[in-house]
Amino acid sequence: MALVVKAFFSMKFSEQFENRFVRMLAHYPTKRSVLVPTLLYAQDETGYLSPEVIHEIAERLELTDLEVENVISYYSMLTKTPRGKYNVQVCTNIACLVRGGEELLDHCKHKLGIRNKGTTADGMFSLEEVECIGACSWAPAVQVNYDFHENLTTERMDEVLDEYRAKN
Amino acid sequence: MPDVNITVDGKKVTAPTGTLLIEACKTAGIEVPSFCYYPNLSLQGACRMCLVRVEKMPKLQTACTTVITEGMVVATDNDEIHQARKSMVELLLGNHPLDCPVCDAGGECELQDMTFSYGAAESKFIDIKNHREEQQWSPVVYFDRPRCILCYRCVRVCGEGMDVWALGVQNRGVSSIIAPNLEDHLNCEECGMCIDICPVGALTSGAYRYKTRPWEMNHVGTTCTHCGDGCKTTLGVRRSDTGMEIVRGDNRDKSGINGDFLCIKGRYAFDFANHEDRLTQPLIRKNGRLTPSTWEEAFQLIGKKFAEVRDKDGGEAIGVIGSTRTTNEENYLLQKFARVVLRTNNIDHHRTADFPAFAAVLSGKPESTATMRDVFNAPAILLIGNNPTDQHPLLAWQIRNNVRLHGARLYVVNSEPIKLRRQATIFSQIPEGAEARVAAFLGGDDSVLDALVTANSNRESWTGLRETLRGERNLVIIFGSEIRGDAVSVLMKFGGAIGAKFVCLGDYANSRGAADMGLYPDLLPGYQAVAQSGKFHEGWGDIPNAPGLNLPAMLERAKAGKLKALHVVGANPVGRLGLNPGDFSQTFVVVQDMFLTETAAIADVVLPAANAYEKSGTFTNTCGDLQIIKKAGEVTSVKSDFEMIVRIADAAGFDVSKLVPFSRGSRADMGQSRGAQSGEADQHRVWLEANGLEPKMSPFDPMAILDEIQRLVPGYDVSRINLLAGNDQHTSLSNSGRGAAHDANLIVPANNDLFSSGTLGRYSRTLNSVLENHHKNPAEAEVAAD
Amino acid sequence: MASLVSHPDEVKVVSKRFGMGATNIDRYCELDGYTALQKALEMQPDAIINEVKNSGLRGRGGAGFNTGLKWSFVPKQSAKPKYILCNGDESEPGTCKDRLIFEHDPHAVIEGVVIAGLAVGAHAGYIYVRGEYRYLLEIMQKAIDGAYARGFVGKNVLGSGYNFDVYWHGGAGAYEVGEESALMESLEGKRGIPRIRPPFPAVVGLWGGPTVINNVETLASVPHIINGGAEWFAKLGTPKNGGTRLFCLSGHLNRPGVYELPMGYNLKKMIYDVGGGIPNGRKLKAVVPGGSSCPLLTADEIDLPMDFDSLAKAGSMLGSGGLVAVDDTTCMVKFALRIMKFYRHESCGWCIPCREGTDWLEKTLKRFHSGGGIEKDIDNIQYLSENMLGRTFCPLGDAAALPTISIVKKFRKEFEDHLEGRPCPFEEHLVSV
Ligand SMILES: Cc1cc2nc3c(=O)[nH]c(=O)nc-3n(C[C@H](O)[C@H](O)[C@H](O)COP(=O)(O)O)c2cc1C
Ligand code: SF4
Ligand code: FES
């Protein structure tokens, strides 16, 4: 059972994470204030928030695991399940919608052979329809992990995906 | 606090500064509807049911979050408001399953009531409702998600009220969901407060679900039988083949000392009453085996045998062990029976606190025992020893919520880092067994100081604590059984000097009552020495005036073959105190109990007894609050201990009218067999008497003895009408006897925790399944949530 | 990274350093950077507040409250520390300006935060940036480090004896967190559930201390006001609507982009002139004037000045400055559905009307758009939206209801065209649901 694992497992994060964590703690009057960014930084390193990561962060911030889960489940960027190496986030909100956001999403579905929130079998890509990402004037826009790709067409989208695939 | 004047629906309303509008309306008799608002829990403003129109405000305002201000003009009901509320109900019903006919809450559902009130019955919603399967979170807690209306009451009562924080809110928007702390199950104190507080049928009780419809039950308000705190509980009973079956325990009646609170035992652990091992026939040992017999045969045998031993070997050859779970009336009757009928002072019980030492200090002083209600209101509390969260759940609730709601200062001294330290202003951890030294130190003895120093507390912190305490006015000092013997008087002297009030913690439901009623070899009711039978003498005639044997001494005598008879009523000394059954081989043992306990197993006669939920009488909780217990359940084939004692006396040839002062010649049925209505009959009786009408009372009516208790036991002369009306009445120890020094080793704590309740608990399926579940899922180290 | 545009009508104040390398602190200082701070350090706090008040600067986050007035609500004396909280959660559909400010002129935000701190007597400021804008982290961190190194923030700011710390704080994806009280909850490490008000943040805010919360653009405007003076700033705009605004033009336009135009600039002109008009010779159908929360305007309602008061008079809102133009190929039922899908996804779930209302409305609109609509639904959509309005725990409920009500009212015919199994008449242009 997960509980037993928790007791013996100690998480390892990168030095950068640890430095940032310590620095952030000094920025706020309460420990838990670092929770949201810390979870995102942790997820950047571990891919998703596993029970072990949750427990580790909860302990560090003197919170219950439940409390941390409550927070995780609130924020759409935080996830408890693994995603692909490249998370392709297609905005279909109004500004993108009227400039072909949904076509882009459909295109990605076909191209990658996965559904919304799916992950390719090789674990390379996952796909997510997202809400406005703040690129309305450069619509339609897509974010792959944290990188913005704007003024896209389906052709341009193919190139973007190919670039990521080649990166690997 | 100065008052604020407002106008609500044209009515002038005055309420103290800081009052919430919703509460101010309530005082004016105007009910503003709400789901999320719950008194004494944090404000949410989430359900929007309480919207009202406040003049000069552009939008409708939530009455639950609005603090009244001078001159405020409010409308709580007009078309606009009605429409707002109606639409809230409609919106809720959009996703709410309409499975009311099979829902446990059907008939007791706030959403049903609101739908009724606001006429939101027409369904505009034609799309598919969001659905999720029901989940079982623990043996006693089920969650039906689609029924949840997200009022967050459960989350708050668990966190704020219980300091358990086992429930959270996950996801957001319409996917928001109440979630338990371990993925899909709960790890918590299983108090069930979440279920009681749920306005709909989202949280249901494993013990009750799908058992019956609310309107098929009778509801009996009585007192819990599990610990020394004495919560008021409402038992739902329904007819069954064998009488009346208890199907639900809850807390509808919030007027009790426990307000909203009940712990797992009060809420679910009534089920021992229906356990299949329950004894239903008297048993007599024949040829070495306990064999079913008739009541008549059993009483005749016992009466004859007791009289024989008394007449041949004298009362000293008989021992009586009373109970911490029988009523005051039964305990009083039992010791009177021992002294007057059996002519022995060999009477004792399982002692879990040093009440005689406590009474000795208080005797002759102005009243200074704290009530359970005081613990919720005191500005400061000192707690030495004990772990109330486990052993006194209500007391812990009172302390916790006093700190939370009134900002009380809590000082905790304990050898363990008990959970209440989280509410403590100062927590001092001491070495194990050092509680008496703390008392000495507080009393001014600095020589013990070094022995108190631990990693968490140095000399300065101790002297600091003592100074702080000395500065506290209206302190309530609560101490566990770790403080006994001389330490009691030392500690109380310290407290007395600063005008403190006290609570001495005893473990079982009527431990305090057993002590008050004189289940001691050397003490009569009210802690008066046996040699000074005074007032009792008049009513009882001569009684033996030398102290009798305490429990260990009776055991010694039994071993020596000189204890010829032993009468055990509602106690299990063999099981609970670890006595050797073989030691009673030469003793005629009579046991009155519900189950074939370790003690009953060695008896010569076993009489099947009713429990506290099946009879009437009174209990005194550990604070000295006297409360009524009322008959709820009924198993027709058992008898109350009261009746059995009277019958034995009768069979021994004693004139029972000298034992129970019932009126001569009348044998009116005063309700002992009338199920849930019995309490009313008892009240009727008192009413008659109070009005000078001819009392008709049976010798089995405990109210007759209550008369005598009120007359003869110091401190018990409380208002009878209030008592019978179900209000707690505080008894006083100011006029009690001076008690006597006792061997402190006679005190054996029950060591019950949240999920155990002595012998009773072993027969509760609920408690056992919860225990099993907790073994499977051990709790993680507790962490404070902020 | 996002490309910049320009138009002759632009009046560049907040955007004056865009594309000029001002992320570099030396370059920023060359371009008048931190001169306002020096000036402000010489001023009395009340004088700063008055200057901002008189400039007519109104919140650029959406509600358009007078900024100086908001600052004046902060109590002078406070037992708890006071804070400045810069709202960079920018998630209102149609809005993408704060991102540009961070990207091109991060020091202006920092400078604005410090000046706000001076004005109300705070000693710490937090800049909350939505989690998706991760690439800004490096830019912001470098800017903050630079400001510390040069003594513009930190202990003894520019030798004045005044201490002020600035921190960056990242979100993790939640529109509601842009609401000021939810923002504070989020910063405190909690779920982004709004708080009960009163008390307002200016009195009880972050960790219980009085807190000024302002949008990025609002705070970035402040140094310019201090330098240029209240009168100059006020005159850039219309009465009570001082200064300029970054208008985010998007949708069916030939030249979408973020343009800085004076307050009160004509909307029609903005669309046809600045934005280059509607592509492919199509006709304008509707305009979202200030982000998805605002009631839509039809093509013949757009001849009006873009300022807070004029839009309010026209029954809409200036909001966050996100203008989305849609042409006549757009299905308004679909448009309403997409907006509702957003609010359903972003509702925090705290209160009944918003949580249940957005779900119900999305379901109905979805069914309706795919041909399953019945006559009664149209009134139902209206009924539900109207019953959410003004009754939710925070303005998100209004934000969901307002555009919906306006669409049903102004484009009822399009709803009727979808009735009884009829396929969406616009479907060829919008492929999937
Ligand atoms: C649902 C909701 C989302 C909001 N999102 C943002 C946001 O992303 N950025 C922002 O500056 N203000 C946002 N606001 C407005 C803020 O609550 C607040 O009014 C603003 O930050 C104050 O700054 P200002 O006076 O400078 O505009 C939002 C409000 C609501 C109700
Ligand atoms: S606290 Fe004690 S009296 Fe109250 S419900 Fe629990 S066991 Fe019964
Ligand atoms: S009772 Fe006021 S909002 Fe729920």
Side-chain angles (χ1 to χ4, degrees):
Chain A
M1 132 121 272
L3 270 177
V4 184
V5 183
K6 282 181 196 176
F8 296 102
F9 198 93
S10 175
M11 282 305 307
K12 270 262 172 285
F13 295 112
S14 72
E15 216 182 299
Q16 191 199 10
F17 175 94
E18 296 298 351
N19 291 340
R20 192 181 270 155
F21 181 73
V22 173
R23 194 147 32 94
M24 277 197 303
L25 278 180
H27 291 175
Y28 308 90
T30 65
K31 268 192 185 179
R32 96 172 267 172
S33 299
V34 306
L35 181 58
V36 175
T38 298
L39 286 168
L40 197 52
Y41 295 138
Q43 179 174 295
D44 288 347
E45 304 205 339
T46 57
Y48 69 104
L49 298 166
S50 63
E52 293 76 29
V53 174
I54 292 170
H55 188 65
E56 170 73 22
I57 292 175
E59 292 234 298
R60 289 189 188 195
L61 302 181
E62 289 171 47
L63 299 168
T64 59
D65 291 12
L66 175 69
E67 191 63 25
V68 174
E69 306 221 19
N70 295 344
V71 169
I72 291 172
S73 60
Y74 180 89
Y75 294 92
S76 55
M77 292 173 74
L78 301 175
T79 178
K80 296 205 311 179
T81 46
R83 289 172 176 150
K85 185 169 179 195
Y86 301 112
N87 189 28
V88 181
Q89 301 152 77
V90 185
C91 174
T92 60
N93 211 309
I94 46 174
C96 288
L97 176 83
V98 299
R99 292 184 80 100
E102 290 197 337
E103 286 81 349
L104 266 190
L105 179 65
D106 280 342
H107 183 75
C108 290
K109 283 182 188 168
H110 286 127
K111 178 91 182 174
L112 298 172
I114 51 179
R115 299 200 303 188
N116 185 21
K117 302 248 163 129
T119 302
T120 54
D122 61 0
M124 178 89 73
F125 290 105
S126 49
L127 183 63
E128 205 177 332
E129 178 182 9
V130 293
E131 297 301 348
C132 179
I133 50 178
C136 316
S137 291
W138 311 282
V142 164
Q143 242 190 322
V144 180
N145 295 349
Y146 293 113
D147 304 337
F148 281 91
H149 300 277
E150 295 159 344
N151 294 315
L152 289 172
T153 56
T154 48
E155 296 77 41
R156 186 56 204 122
M157 188 74 228
D158 285 345
E159 286 167 32
V160 168
L161 292 178
D162 289 344
E163 278 162 31
Y164 280 101
R165 194 171 281 117
K167 244 198 214 176
N168 198 45
Chain B
M1 244 185 272
D3 282 343
V4 172
N5 303 297
I6 63 170
T7 311
V8 183
D9 296 341
K11 273 196 216 178
K12 296 258 173 270
V13 180
T14 303
T17 307
T19 304
L20 292 169
L21 181 52
I22 196 168
E23 290 292 344
C25 290
K26 214 177 278 174
T27 63
I30 295 166
E31 188 79 22
V32 174
S34 69
F35 287 123
C36 70
Y37 175 73
Y38 199 90
N40 286 343
L41 294 179
S42 62
L43 303 180
Q44 313 287 290
C47 74
R48 322 302 290 175
M49 283 303 290
C50 65
L51 290 172
V52 294
R53 174 61 63 194
V54 178
E55 247 178 41
K56 298 203 190 89
M57 295 290 212
K59 292 179 178 180
L60 294 178
Q61 301 290 310
T62 45
C64 73
T65 61
T66 304
V67 176
I68 55 168
T69 52
E70 186 63 36
M72 190 179 254
V73 179
V74 183
T76 73
D77 204 4
N78 58 30
D79 290 351
E80 176 196 27
I81 293 165
H82 193 90
Q83 176 54 39
R85 292 177 187 158
K86 177 180 169 184
S87 71
M88 292 312 147
V89 176
E90 283 176 329
L91 283 161
L92 269 183
L93 292 178
N95 267 321
H96 193 90
L98 298 179
D99 60 350
C100 311
V102 294
C103 175
D104 268 353
E108 305 184 314
C109 169
E110 295 181 29
L111 181 58
Q112 274 184 339
D113 296 348
M114 295 280 189
T115 308
F116 186 78
S117 304
Y118 290 95
E122 181 212 355
S123 184
K124 296 190 169 68
F125 192 79
I126 60 169
D127 292 280
I128 293 168
K129 293 176 194 258
N130 301 336
H131 185 72
R132 290 273 179 88
E133 288 306 308
E134 184 181 51
Q135 292 182 321
Q136 179 173 13
W137 282 351
S138 88
V140 291
V141 184
Y142 283 73
F143 182 58
D144 191 327
R145 185 203 167 186
R147 289 184 192 155
C148 171
I149 61 167
L150 290 163
C151 65
Y152 318 110
R153 286 190 199 171
C154 56
V155 177
R156 284 173 286 159
V157 81
C158 180
E160 298 165 17
M162 294 299 296
D163 193 24
V164 169
W165 308 96
L167 296 175
V169 187
Q170 282 177 13
N171 306 332
R172 68 183 190 211
V174 77
S175 310
S176 300
I177 182 174
I178 304 296
N181 54 358
L182 296 182
E183 294 285 330
D184 56 357
H185 60 273
L186 269 173
N187 191 309
C188 69
E189 294 177 10
E190 309 277 7
C191 66
M193 297 281 291
C194 53
I195 298 172
D196 236 14
I197 210 165
C198 178
V200 296
L203 284 158
T204 53
S205 145
Y208 169 72
R209 58 201 293 278
Y210 301 138
K211 271 214 176 132
T212 189
R213 308 300 292 152
W215 52 86
E216 285 170 350
M217 287 185 286
N218 272 327
H219 301 279
V220 184
T222 183
T223 307
C224 172
T225 188
H226 285 289
C227 87
D229 289 352
C231 293
K232 198 170 192 177
T233 170
T234 304
L235 298 175
V237 292
R238 195 184 54 179
R239 292 230 164 265
S240 74
D241 297 347
T242 53
M244 294 294 279
E245 187 193 2
I246 304 170
V247 285
R248 185 171 82 180
D250 68 23
N251 195 357
R252 305 285 123 156
D253 180 353
K254 309 209 189 296
S255 68
I257 51 176
N258 46 319
D260 283 304
F261 179 78
L262 272 186
C263 80
I264 173 170
K265 292 184 264 191
R267 193 179 307 278
Y268 309 110
F270 51 78
D271 56 351
F272 60 82
N274 310 333
H275 196 280
E276 68 259 21
D277 289 352
R278 184 89 191 259
L279 297 174
T280 54
Q281 269 179 300
L283 305 170
I284 296 177
R285 192 169 295 279
K286 290 177 179 159
N287 304 320
R289 297 193 37 197
L290 286 170
T291 317
S293 77
T294 63
W295 283 103
E296 211 46 45
E297 187 186 359
F299 287 136
Q300 287 309 323
L301 173 64
I302 301 166
K304 198 172 116 243
K305 189 76 187 178
F306 279 180
E308 214 174 271
V309 176
R310 176 194 62 201
D311 297 342
K312 190 155 147 281
D313 303 289
E316 313 89 76
I318 310 179
V320 177
I321 296 171
S323 173
T324 48
R325 278 192 175 125
T326 50
T327 64
N328 287 325
E329 293 68 26
E330 290 168 332
N331 288 339
Y332 182 94
L333 181 71
L334 182 67
Q335 59 82 34
K336 184 175 175 186
F337 167 76
R339 292 177 164 121
V340 176
V341 180
L342 302 181
R343 309 211 52 77
T344 183
N345 278 327
N346 295 347
I347 182 163
D348 207 344
H349 69 288
H350 176 178
R351 309 177 187 188
T352 59
D354 204 341
F355 289 121
F358 187 57
V361 180
L362 295 170
S363 170
K365 304 236 172 66
E367 181 50 31
S368 53
T369 51
T371 65
M372 192 56 92
R373 291 179 194 274
D374 290 338
V375 176
F376 179 61
N377 291 310
I381 294 167
L382 166 65
L383 172 69
I384 304 181
N386 202 276
N387 181 2
T389 307
D390 264 357
Q391 295 163 278
H392 291 275
L394 168 60
L395 188 89
W397 164 273
Q398 299 288 81
I399 295 175
R400 214 165 37 229
N401 288 292
N402 187 3
V403 172
R404 178 172 69 92
L405 297 166
H406 309 138
R409 294 167 298 279
L410 172 66
Y411 308 98
V412 175
V413 177
N414 209 293
S415 60
E416 296 289 329
I418 58 167
K419 196 178 140 199
L420 276 171
R421 76 178 188 289
R422 307 208 295 213
Q423 277 71 35
T425 312
I426 298 178
F427 168 61
S428 303
Q429 192 160 356
I430 51 169
E432 207 184 319
E435 291 83 359
R437 276 183 233 133
V438 173
F441 170 72
L442 292 178
D445 177 359
D446 287 351
S447 69
V448 296
L449 192 46
D450 285 331
L452 294 179
V453 171
T454 59
N456 319 335
S457 57
N458 55 25
R459 295 176 66 101
E460 289 67 41
S461 67
W462 280 106
T463 40
L465 175 66
R466 186 168 61 191
E467 272 323 297
T468 308
L469 290 171
R470 278 184 183 146
E472 284 291 359
R473 293 290 155 262
N474 306 317
L475 181 70
V476 168
I477 299 180
I478 303 174
F479 55 94
S481 63
E482 296 91 339
I483 301 282
R484 49 177 94 160
D486 292 340
V488 174
S489 55
V490 175
L491 176 64
M492 290 176 68
K493 220 173 122 207
F494 162 77
I498 55 170
K501 287 188 177 187
F502 303 93
V503 176
C504 168
L505 297 175
D507 291 342
Y508 294 101
N510 205 23
S511 279
R512 172 70 180 271
D516 287 1
M517 292 305 123
L519 295 188
Y520 288 105
D522 54 340
L523 297 173
L524 294 170
Y527 306 96
Q528 334 226 16
V530 284
Q532 289 141 17
S533 58
K535 279 197 276 184
F536 296 103
H537 183 79
E538 293 162 30
W540 300 2
D542 274 345
I543 55 165
N545 61 7
L549 303 175
N550 60 30
L551 216 151
M554 285 187 234
L555 180 67
E556 282 310 306
R557 186 150 311 175
K559 273 197 225 166
K562 289 187 192 151
L563 192 76
K564 300 289 187 205
L566 179 67
H567 187 188
V568 183
V569 176
N572 180 15
V574 176
R576 293 295 283 167
L577 303 175
L579 307 187
N580 175 12
D583 294 347
F584 295 98
S585 57
Q586 299 174 63
T587 310
F588 175 73
V589 179
V590 175
V591 172
Q592 300 179 192
D593 212 316
M594 272 190 295
F595 298 103
L596 202 64
T597 61
E598 290 87 341
T599 311
I602 64 159
D604 295 280
V605 185
V606 182
L607 302 175
N611 60 58
Y613 293 149
E614 296 163 351
K615 58 193 176 190
S616 301
T618 62
F619 272 176
T620 311
N621 77 358
T622 197
C623 298
D625 301 323
L626 183 64
Q627 298 183 92
I628 191 98
I629 65 166
K630 286 190 196 163
K631 181 170 182 170
E634 183 175 60
V635 176
T636 41
S637 53
V638 303
K639 291 188 189 303
S640 71
D641 292 300
F642 195 96
E643 175 173 349
M644 292 192 270
I645 297 165
V646 175
R647 294 286 293 272
I648 293 170
D650 181 52
F654 194 83
D655 173 3
V656 293
S657 69
K658 293 219 175 83
L659 197 58
V660 185
F662 67 98
S663 73
R664 196 166 295 271
S666 76
R667 281 234 159 200
D669 171 12
M670 291 311 286
Q672 281 307 296
S673 60
R674 281 205 279 145
Q677 275 69 43
S678 66
E680 286 164 31
D682 299 337
Q683 291 172 39
H684 181 59
R685 151 88 187 88
V686 175
W687 189 247
L688 287 175
E689 191 186 56
N691 289 284
L693 301 169
E694 189 193 357
K696 289 196 190 304
M697 195 179 272
S698 113
F700 307 136
D701 192 329
M703 288 301 138
I705 280 289
L706 181 58
D707 281 346
E708 187 169 317
I709 292 173
Q710 292 214 274
R711 214 159 21 86
L712 297 183
V713 182
Y716 273 73
D717 49 349
V718 301
S719 154
R720 187 70 168 264
I721 287 298
N722 269 321
L723 179 67
L724 295 178
N727 300 333
D728 46 296
Q729 294 289 294
H730 196 57
T731 61
S732 158
L733 287 174
S734 316
N735 298 319
S736 63
R738 298 213 148 258
H742 275 157
D743 178 354
N745 294 323
L746 291 174
I747 291 167
V748 183
N751 285 329
N752 283 325
D753 61 20
L754 263 177
F755 310 127
S756 62
S757 180
T759 305
L760 266 196
R762 300 202 322 237
Y763 294 93
S764 162
R765 253 168 280 118
T766 308
L767 291 183
N768 286 325
S769 60
V770 166
L771 270 175
E772 219 173 275
N773 194 51
H774 276 247
H775 286 309
K776 269 196 302 204
N777 307 302
E780 292 181 79
E782 40 157 294
V783 213
D786 71 354
Chain C
M1 255 181 289
S3 47
L4 297 173
V5 284
S6 68
H7 186 272
D9 284 359
E10 276 192 289
V11 177
K12 298 206 175 204
V13 178
V14 171
S15 65
K16 78 171 194 189
R17 303 187 192 95
F18 283 14
M20 302 179 81
T23 53
N24 178 299
I25 192 163
D26 295 323
R27 184 83 183 107
Y28 181 72
C29 289
E30 278 168 35
L31 298 165
D32 297 340
Y34 289 114
T35 50
L37 173 59
Q38 287 171 30
K39 207 167 156 193
L41 281 167
E42 311 284 305
M43 294 166 74
Q44 288 300 315
D46 279 342
I48 304 177
I49 293 179
N50 277 332
E51 197 70 10
V52 175
K53 209 190 279 178
N54 296 336
S55 76
L57 173 65
R58 292 171 67 168
R60 305 301 194 228
F65 197 82
N66 181 295
T67 303
L69 191 59
K70 189 191 260 185
W71 293 5
S72 71
F73 296 151
V74 175
K76 297 269 174 285
Q77 302 299 324
S78 166
K80 295 208 166 160
K82 305 178 200 174
Y83 300 101
I84 306 300
L85 175 50
C86 171
N87 189 347
D89 191 58
E90 184 163 77
S91 310
E92 171 89 2
T95 318
C96 49
K97 63 191 175 68
D98 297 341
R99 180 181 154 198
L100 282 188
I101 301 176
F102 281 134
E103 189 180 318
H104 291 274
D105 204 7
H107 284 289
V109 183
I110 297 170
E111 193 175 357
V113 168
V114 184
I115 294 172
L118 281 173
V120 302
H123 295 283
Y126 294 87
I127 301 175
Y128 190 110
V129 182
R130 70 178 294 189
E132 289 85 346
Y133 291 172
R134 172 57 65 85
Y135 78 100
L136 297 175
L137 168 61
E138 251 172 72
I139 299 172
M140 277 311 290
Q141 193 57 56
K142 236 167 99 189
I144 292 176
D145 291 346
Y148 267 98
R150 300 279 288 268
F152 296 126
V153 293
K155 285 229 153 43
N156 193 11
V157 172
L158 296 176
S160 64
Y162 193 78
N163 302 331
F164 195 88
D165 285 305
V166 174
Y167 309 107
W168 145 290
H169 186 98
Y175 166 70
E176 171 62 0
V177 157
E179 193 281 334
E180 55 179 16
S181 64
L183 184 73
M184 298 189 289
E185 287 286 295
S186 179
L187 188 72
E188 291 182 14
K190 300 174 189 160
R191 294 164 56 79
I193 307 293
R195 295 180 181 173
I196 292 170
R197 278 154 301 159
F200 291 95
V203 182
V204 181
L206 272 176
W207 304 290
T211 304
V212 163
I213 302 175
N214 276 125
N215 172 256
V216 176
E217 187 187 346
T218 313
L219 287 166
S221 306
V222 168
H224 301 291
I225 295 171
I226 299 299
N227 270 336
E231 208 179 320
W232 159 76
F233 191 83
K235 280 212 177 113
L236 293 176
T238 52
K240 290 201 193 136
N241 289 266
T244 55
R245 261 208 103 155
L246 293 177
F247 288 100
C248 318
L249 272 50
S250 71
H252 291 138
L253 289 174
N254 278 318
R255 281 199 305 274
V258 179
Y259 300 88
E260 184 164 12
L261 296 161
M263 275 285 200
Y265 193 86
N266 184 283
L267 174 55
K268 195 166 182 179
K269 225 170 141 207
M270 209 180 277
I271 290 171
Y272 289 104
D273 192 348
V274 181
I278 316 300
N280 308 324
R282 297 224 172 83
K283 281 216 323 250
L284 180 71
K285 182 188 270 185
V287 181
V288 176
S292 65
S293 307
C294 310
L296 275 67
L297 300 172
T298 60
D300 40 8
E301 290 174 328
I302 60 169
D303 193 4
L304 48 76
M306 285 287 269
D307 62 37
F308 288 103
D309 301 319
S310 308
L311 273 150
K313 224 165 77 195
S316 187
M317 302 178 322
L318 186 59
S320 58
L323 184 160
V324 190
V326 297
D327 69 17
D328 55 359
T329 64
T330 313
C331 168
M332 294 316 285
V333 176
K334 170 77 189 216
F335 200 76
L337 166 60
R338 189 58 190 88
I339 289 179
M340 195 49 68
K341 181 175 168 183
F342 169 73
Y343 287 109
R344 176 194 183 271
H345 187 253
E346 299 300 333
S347 163
C348 80
W350 187 251
C351 71
I352 294 173
C354 172
R355 177 182 73 233
E356 301 295 335
T358 54
D359 181 52
W360 190 334
L361 285 168
E362 196 217 2
K363 278 179 183 163
T364 309
L365 285 165
K366 195 168 182 172
R367 175 170 47 75
F368 202 97
H369 181 252
S370 56
I374 52 172
E375 181 84 48
K376 206 176 84 170
D377 284 328
I378 307 176
D379 290 333
N380 244 353
I381 292 167
Q382 197 76 354
Y383 174 84
L384 285 170
S385 311
E386 275 164 12
N387 276 295
M388 287 165 69
L389 207 58
R391 295 178 188 159
T392 50
F393 187 63
C394 87
L396 191 140
D398 297 342
L402 286 169
T404 313
I405 293 172
S406 73
I407 295 175
V408 177
K409 261 197 194 129
K410 296 179 183 176
F411 302 96
R412 194 176 173 103
K413 170 121 196 333
E414 290 195 23
F415 282 80
E416 284 161 2
D417 289 347
H418 278 77
L419 277 176
E420 275 120 44
R422 260 177 264 163
C424 173
F426 302 90
E427 199 58 339
E428 61 207 52
H429 298 289
L430 293 164
V431 234
S432 64
V433 177

